[in-house]
Amino acid sequence: MTAKRLARGALLASLMLALGYVESLLPAFSAVPGIKLGLSNTVLLYAIYLIDIKTALLLAVLKVLLSGLLFGNPVAMLYSASGAALSLAVMLLVKRTERFSAMGVSIAGAIAHNIGQCAAASAVIGLAPVMAYFPLLLLSGAVTGSLTGAAAALLIKYMKH
């Protein structure tokens, strides 16, 4: 790994953590458990589109581990890891089809993240409570995925040049 790649990765990981922290301060999104804007996903989409898969994977892992250690607990890390793994896999698959914009990839990733979290929550607390909450999470994933996807599309557009 070159010094330039290491520095860029550290900068992007720091940016993801900072965006995640700022997001936790927004009262509209911190009031409802499990619903977050997903600002750090703009950085992950940047990595997927303009760097490479290995960097995106490393950033996702670092985000889960560092956010969990700094701001969460083991259960939150489990939910986050489940959501991040499914989200990244889905975003990579959807992007690979080349049929969707960055916004479409972001929406698919946000919804997949919520599905991954629900799967983990079902294993911990049971299926019935999770299924009552599931439609709200799917809707929020579509909305927040659109917002972060629009931001990521602009970032990708201007960073390409």
Side-chain angles (χ1 to χ4, degrees), residues 34-150:
I35 296 178
K36 293 189 176 181
L37 185 54
L39 293 173
S40 61
N41 282 339
T42 57
V43 178
L44 194 57
L45 283 162
Y46 166 82
I48 289 170
Y49 276 88
L50 298 179
I51 304 177
D52 58 29
I53 293 171
K54 263 181 19 179
T55 301
L57 177 62
L58 180 61
L59 287 171
V61 169
L62 285 172
K63 168 79 167 58
V64 168
L65 291 176
L66 294 174
S67 291
L69 291 172
L70 293 171
F71 314 119
N73 57 55
V75 175
M77 284 177 71
L78 170 69
Y79 293 167
S80 182
S82 300
L86 188 58
S87 175
L88 183 58
V90 166
M91 286 193 295
L92 291 171
L93 286 171
V94 170
K95 180 192 177 280
R96 193 172 196 187
T97 68
E98 297 182 6
R99 294 182 184 184
F100 297 92
S101 66
M103 185 183 292
V105 172
S106 178
I107 292 167
I111 291 171
H113 193 280
N114 289 341
I115 291 170
Q117 285 186 318
C118 285
S122 293
V124 173
I125 64 171
L127 186 60
V130 174
M131 290 314 293
Y133 200 46
F134 190 65
L136 178 62
L137 287 177
L138 289 182
L139 178 62
S140 73
V143 171
T144 59
S146 298
L147 295 172
T148 57

